[in-house]
Amino acid sequence: MPLMVYINGKFYNKNNAKISIFDHGVLYGDGVFEGIRSYDGLIFKLREHINRLYNSAGLIRLNIPLSKPKLIKDIIRTLKKNKLKNAYIRLAVTRGPGDLGLDPRKCKNGIVFIITDKIKLYPHKFYERGLKIVTARTRRNLPVAIDPRIKSLNYLNNILAKIDAIDAGVEEAIMLTFDGYVAECTGDNIFMVNKNKLITPPSSIGALEGITKDAVIRIARRKEIKFDEEKIRLSDLYSADECFLTGTAAEIIPVVEIDKKKIGTGKPGLVTKLLEEEFHKLTKKDGVRYSI
Ligand code: PXG
């Protein structure tokens, strides 16, 4: 059976799942989205993802034409329809079709679509050996321009940084704030460990409030690992004992080289490994269950 996609309450075969070219999501990247994952019939941290979606929508004054419980029901319907127990869930809300001007008031009906598919993962070797990454030339959006806490359909800032990564022959790139502090990567948050203290930049400097990041912080508290949110300079990162990235797709992935400089021993670190283990336990219990 072909993949079935949900658009505003109806299901369409992947090839017939279409929205208008006058949709402001298409014309301007005017909309918000979420990337969610299910593990063996458990939608990991679903409520947190739904809350972030509604917060993102609120920040761009976009009305989501569904209640949170209805949206959760429809995500589960989509997973069942596609018989997926382990899935990547892409949920988006666009401003909807309008005219060729910017005015969002011309868009009367927002579009909600849900795509569920098999998840594409980083090759196993990256988890074993760690990732080599670089610093992107492209700086992160200024929070007073487009707040990176909005998970908007306009990901050009991240795509430009991803191109910097591709040009350097690596998978990910660190994005700095306009004034040179470490913000995050193109699709992942970043952590470092120094003298057994876990540090990540505060989201307020210009980073997404990652749900995986939040899960890692909670694990660290529970395991009594010292933790702080601090501004990080590149030089701090270069001299860190450990570094890792967090994201829905990547989970927790060690970083062993940044801008050709070896981090710590050049191998995935012990704190990173402990957090990875604990995170995997969490993916078996923290979320909303469904059966197919
Ligand atoms: N920063 C940015 C800019 C992101 O887009 C994260 C951090 C991590 O957040 P979560 O909540 O996932 O821990 C993201 C999330 C993909 C993909 O297909 C990207 C994300 C999530 C899922 C899939 O590349 N990015």
Side-chain angles (χ1 to χ4, degrees):
M1 194 183 69
L3 200 77
M4 298 301 279
V5 175
Y6 169 106
I7 307 176
N8 277 11
K10 294 206 180 98
F11 287 101
Y12 302 85
N13 177 319
K14 178 183 176 180
N15 301 316
N16 294 323
K18 293 172 183 161
I19 64 166
S20 165
I21 55 168
F22 292 96
D23 191 305
H24 279 208
V26 177
L27 289 175
Y28 300 114
D30 186 358
V32 293
F33 79 102
E34 274 301 318
I36 315 170
R37 201 163 157 179
S38 79
Y39 293 87
D40 199 22
L42 178 97
I43 311 173
F44 184 61
K45 298 262 182 194
L46 179 59
R47 290 196 175 82
E48 289 79 353
H49 281 283
I50 297 291
N51 287 338
R52 186 170 67 186
L53 182 79
Y54 278 76
N55 284 342
S56 290
L59 289 166
I60 68 165
R61 296 216 235 155
L62 169 64
N63 175 46
I64 299 183
L66 284 179
S67 67
K68 291 183 186 181
K70 173 77 173 120
L71 191 51
I72 290 176
K73 267 194 191 149
D74 287 353
I75 292 170
I76 293 173
R77 266 173 73 205
T78 312
L79 286 163
K80 283 176 180 269
K81 191 103 189 157
N82 289 290
K83 298 193 169 54
L84 286 164
K85 272 178 93 175
N86 290 284
Y88 177 69
I89 303 157
R90 169 61 59 90
L91 170 58
V93 187
T94 74
R95 188 82 66 181
D99 67 13
L100 292 177
L102 293 177
D103 190 344
R105 293 171 301 184
K106 298 280 161 58
C107 305
K108 299 296 181 205
N109 297 300
I111 305 274
V112 178
F113 64 82
I114 307 168
I115 306 169
T116 55
D117 204 352
K118 296 200 177 74
I119 180 145
K120 224 177 107 247
L121 300 171
Y122 275 131
H124 190 60
K125 65 172 190 203
F126 289 139
Y127 292 89
E128 276 181 351
R129 296 183 214 155
L131 271 188
K132 298 177 178 180
I133 63 173
V134 295
T135 306
R137 244 179 87 244
T138 311
R139 296 278 165 118
R140 194 72 174 104
N141 283 332
L142 209 56
V144 288
I146 304 177
D147 193 331
R149 282 181 284 193
I150 304 167
K151 199 162 166 64
S152 88
L153 289 180
N154 192 320
Y155 248 46
L156 256 190
N157 183 216
N158 311 58
I159 290 167
L160 292 176
K162 184 79 175 182
I163 291 171
D164 295 336
I166 294 164
D167 286 348
V170 297
E171 307 291 323
E172 254 294 11
I174 296 169
M175 302 183 76
L176 303 177
T177 61
F178 74 103
D179 55 350
Y181 288 96
V182 172
E184 61 177 335
C185 289
T186 69
D188 299 295
N189 290 110
I190 189 163
F191 284 80
M192 63 179 235
V193 179
N194 212 1
K195 299 191 185 71
N196 290 316
K197 184 177 166 193
L198 185 65
I199 304 168
T200 191
S203 303
S204 57
I205 69 165
L208 185 73
E209 288 179 321
I211 285 158
T212 320
K213 165 181 161 168
D214 183 62
V216 166
I217 294 170
R218 285 166 192 272
I219 293 169
R221 288 216 181 94
R222 183 154 47 76
K223 290 277 150 194
E224 297 184 351
I225 296 169
K226 275 185 276 169
F227 165 75
D228 219 343
E229 283 195 333
E230 286 172 19
K231 282 182 158 187
I232 300 175
R233 289 186 194 82
L234 258 183
S235 54
D236 302 327
L237 209 51
Y238 292 154
S239 59
D241 298 327
E242 298 180 32
C243 175
F244 61 87
L245 311 182
T246 64
T248 294
E251 302 177 327
I252 298 175
I253 190 158
V255 171
V256 293
E257 197 181 286
I258 303 173
D259 298 330
K260 302 272 179 209
K261 293 167 190 54
K262 194 161 91 176
I263 306 304
T265 60
K267 297 217 170 74
L270 289 177
V271 177
T272 308
K273 279 192 186 152
L274 172 83
L275 292 168
E276 276 182 68
E277 271 175 41
E278 291 298 318
F279 182 79
H280 286 141
K281 289 185 200 162
L282 214 59
T283 61
K284 293 181 177 61
K285 55 185 182 202
D286 192 345
V288 173
R289 280 182 210 285
Y290 64 101
S291 54
I292 57 169

